[in-house]
Amino acid sequence: MGFPEGFLWGGATAANQCEGGYDEAGRGLANVDVMPHGPERLRVAAGLRKMLSFESGFHYPAKVAIDMYHRYRHDIALFGEMGFKTYRLSIAWTRIFPNGDEEEPNEEGLAFYEKLFVECHRHGIEPLVTITHFDCPIHLIRKYGGWRSRQLIDFYKRLVSVLFERYRGLVRYWLTFNEINMILQLPFMGAGLVFDESENKLEAEARSIHNELVASAWATRIAHEVDSKNLVGCMIAAGSYYPYSCHPEDVRAAQVESQANYFFTDVQARGSYPAFAVKRLERDGIDVGMTDEDHQILAENTADFVSFSYYASRCAAGPDSDAMRIPGDFFGEVRNPYLKRSEWGWAIDPLGLRITLNDLYDRYQKPLFIVENGLGAKDRIEADGSILDDYRIDYLRQHIQAMRDAIDQDGVDLMGYTTWAPIDLISASTGEMSKRYGFIYVDRDDDGEGTLARSRKKSFEWYKRVIATNGEDLS
Ligand code: BGP
């Protein structure tokens, strides 16, 4: 009973949210660098405001982030101290190919990650590498229009071939695209898309999605060719949709929303477009540019495991429902009246994690991996310097309990759990530092002030004990 032996406990970060060093060692500029802190950020991320370079009057948090580029040894040592079995991180594409379309990679960028992976192994930590976590080289956006161009499939293939060859023996767990379904909400962040007034937005999105899905299948194939020990996962922002009530219109609304999300993993884990998606594209008169070769590549190279982030369940209601709607909410627009919410308005629903695990396992029957889960909260430093983050411990405890139930009682095959994020870093949605997730506090504020010094929060010792007891001791 309990967590299986070898369960991969750890934490997850993304390059642009922690590395900094944005112009060091030949690194090129990416979409994620030019996303400012503050209210404009979401408009840029959604492709509604074009920002392809630094503009005056804005603070760009990714430039320095938490400076992990220079401090990774120290940070990985702290992860080692907590007993991490795995550390999920992402490669910055522009460290390896600064423009994205070069023939030859940037050796300095490759050497950086090699040192980082060696450091992980020194602490007994297995790296879990996201190949792209919301990043796309600016040059590829300017010259090719981001992922709407099929040429990006080739550039991505070149990138992954270099990574798999170079890190053979150092990395065996890979994720192709972080939260691939977020392209629907954040097309600039997800695919480097900025829309022209005259453009068919739906078509540009559908083509970009298709290109990423094909690129993902190619990556899976190349990974297996280079080393049969490689395991490649797909990754979505998950959280099951609940109908607001048992009114059939609400149930149908939840189904439609779920399908829009599952679509991505359906293709990546099963190898073909599901019938509802084919019909939807037909209805909208959209041609994604599928070739015979695409069909074959998708069918023959499905993901080895299905990974996902879970922060909250979502709720859906039919058009005539009296449900309370929240315009622009990240996780669906209908408020679930039964759930409490975080300081940032994200619903808190540990049982929803068990439901989501069951839904995904029922649908795919592939090993699952929770690669993000956590609570963004403001932390207070006590007079003696300590941070008593019991709210974070409570959140994680309940979610870990829910996943234990899913394993023990429902038989879900779960490979591991990496919290978002083991160390405070830049928020993807807001660019804030004050939305903190870490077991490790970083002295930096929303305006980029602070010493960047690290310190352990109360949750640090707690998570260490959870890992040491393989999830037995959650007290
Ligand atoms: C996911 C992203 C992460 C991370 C997390 C928390 O969508 O994959 O990059 O940031 O959400 O979100 P936020 O940082 O906006 O609180």
Side-chain angles (χ1 to χ4, degrees):
M1 292 297 266
F3 291 95
E5 259 204 38
F7 189 76
L8 292 165
W9 296 98
T13 63
N16 75 88
Q17 293 170 260
C18 65
E19 280 180 8
Y22 79 102
D23 59 353
E24 289 189 49
R27 184 184 182 281
L29 207 62
N31 56 343
V32 282
D33 300 325
V34 295
M35 291 183 18
H37 161 244
E40 269 316 87
R41 185 178 182 88
L42 273 184
R43 281 173 41 75
V44 174
L48 299 173
R49 184 201 205 280
K50 192 170 183 171
M51 202 182 267
L52 295 184
S53 57
F54 298 121
E55 295 181 12
S56 59
F58 292 101
H59 166 51
Y60 292 95
K63 280 184 165 179
V64 175
I66 58 161
D67 193 36
M68 215 194 227
Y69 184 69
H70 297 109
R71 297 164 195 248
Y72 68 90
R73 284 202 173 83
H74 179 253
D75 294 337
I76 290 171
L78 288 169
F79 300 159
E81 191 183 322
M82 275 186 279
F84 278 23
K85 311 290 180 212
T86 189
Y87 168 38
R88 175 181 173 225
L89 66 134
S90 81
I91 297 272
W93 189 342
T94 51
R95 286 201 194 285
I96 313 298
F97 288 100
N99 283 328
D101 61 356
E102 296 91 339
E103 296 283 332
E104 296 300 325
N106 171 28
E107 174 51 35
E108 281 182 283
L110 286 170
F112 168 69
Y113 291 109
E114 185 172 336
K115 283 186 281 179
L116 195 152
F117 297 145
V118 168
E119 200 60 22
C120 287
H121 285 289
R122 230 166 56 76
H123 291 278
I125 299 173
E126 190 72 48
L128 162 62
V129 176
T130 316
I131 296 164
T132 48
H133 193 121
F134 293 147
D135 62 330
C136 182
I138 284 284
H139 173 76
L140 296 186
I141 298 174
R142 284 187 195 280
K143 184 159 177 196
Y144 305 91
W147 276 96
R148 44 162 94 61
S149 162
R150 278 193 73 99
Q151 279 171 281
L152 264 80
I153 301 175
D154 293 326
F155 303 138
Y156 188 85
K157 280 163 73 176
R158 199 177 297 161
L159 170 70
V160 301
S161 303
V162 166
L163 300 179
F164 299 148
E165 290 289 351
R166 177 65 175 246
Y167 303 127
R168 197 179 160 170
L170 279 176
V171 180
R172 53 182 293 242
Y173 296 103
W174 301 90
L175 305 179
T176 51
F177 289 88
N178 178 64
E179 294 188 338
I180 190 165
N181 53 330
M182 286 305 284
I183 194 175
L184 299 172
Q185 280 84 25
L186 306 173
F188 180 68
M189 213 152 133
L193 299 184
V194 192
F195 301 105
D196 294 333
E197 290 278 301
S198 58
E199 187 176 20
N200 179 344
K201 187 169 175 267
L202 272 185
E203 179 150 89
E205 271 176 10
R207 281 183 169 257
S208 305
I209 290 166
H210 178 73
N211 294 340
E212 287 192 359
L213 291 169
V214 172
S216 175
W218 272 108
T220 308
R221 170 168 165 163
I222 299 167
H224 293 154
E225 278 169 4
V226 172
D227 186 347
S228 58
K229 291 201 193 73
N230 276 329
L231 290 174
V232 185
C234 53
M235 197 293 193
I236 57 160
S240 294
Y241 274 93
Y242 302 159
Y244 183 72
S245 76
C246 54
H247 192 296
E249 292 287 350
D250 289 351
V251 177
R252 174 64 188 154
Q255 182 176 56
V256 169
E257 296 278 11
S258 301
Q259 286 179 333
N261 259 354
Y262 286 140
F263 159 74
F264 296 83
T265 22
D266 283 354
V267 178
Q268 290 177 296
R270 292 169 166 169
S272 60
Y273 275 45
F276 61 80
V278 174
K279 285 288 172 196
R280 164 101 202 255
L281 290 168
E282 271 173 28
R283 257 195 327 272
D284 293 339
I286 289 174
D287 171 13
V288 295
M290 174 89 80
T291 66
D292 289 345
E293 189 187 38
D294 291 351
H295 268 300
Q296 197 183 343
I297 287 296
L298 291 173
E300 289 175 357
N301 302 282
T302 56
D304 296 311
F305 61 96
V306 173
S307 81
F308 62 96
S309 61
Y310 177 84
Y311 293 92
S313 56
R314 305 128 195 244
C315 196
D320 301 327
S321 162
D322 59 1
M324 183 172 164
R325 308 202 184 238
I326 325 155
D329 188 307
F330 221 53
F331 291 110
E333 302 204 331
V334 173
R335 178 170 294 214
N336 184 330
Y338 300 102
L339 299 177
K340 292 210 177 84
R341 303 167 81 80
S342 78
E343 290 171 87
W344 274 263
W346 293 17
I348 298 177
D349 183 12
L351 181 56
L353 176 56
R354 180 172 176 187
I355 294 168
T356 300
L357 281 162
N358 274 277
D359 283 349
L360 287 169
Y361 195 57
D362 285 352
R363 196 166 178 111
Y364 301 117
Q365 296 285 302
K366 292 209 178 202
L368 303 181
F369 204 141
I370 300 169
V371 293
E372 285 183 35
N373 173 235
L375 178 72
K378 291 200 171 104
D379 288 330
R380 203 181 71 222
I381 306 180
E382 305 296 324
D384 65 355
S386 60
I387 294 162
L388 306 174
D389 55 343
D390 292 289
Y391 35 90
R392 185 168 292 113
I393 295 173
D394 280 350
Y395 177 99
L396 294 171
R397 177 190 293 122
Q398 291 177 48
H399 284 77
I400 293 173
Q401 182 62 54
M403 80 194 187
R404 183 155 75 191
D405 292 344
I407 296 172
D408 270 357
Q409 296 177 42
D410 310 328
V412 166
D413 180 1
L414 187 61
M415 297 165 66
Y417 175 75
T418 57
T419 65
W420 187 272
I423 184 165
D424 295 343
L425 38 61
I426 304 295
S427 156
S429 56
T430 68
E432 292 165 305
M433 270 303 298
S434 51
K435 191 178 186 189
R436 297 176 181 275
Y437 286 88
F439 307 117
I440 301 163
Y441 184 86
V442 177
D443 178 21
R444 190 160 175 90
D445 68 17
D446 292 344
D447 302 316
E449 301 295 326
T451 62
L452 290 163
R454 278 58 166 155
S455 54
R456 296 167 186 75
K457 303 180 194 174
K458 183 175 177 185
S459 54
F460 185 100
E461 286 303 322
W462 175 81
Y463 196 47
K464 183 175 170 181
R465 203 166 53 245
V466 170
I467 298 177
T469 60
N470 199 24
E472 275 306 304
D473 185 356
L474 299 179
S475 62

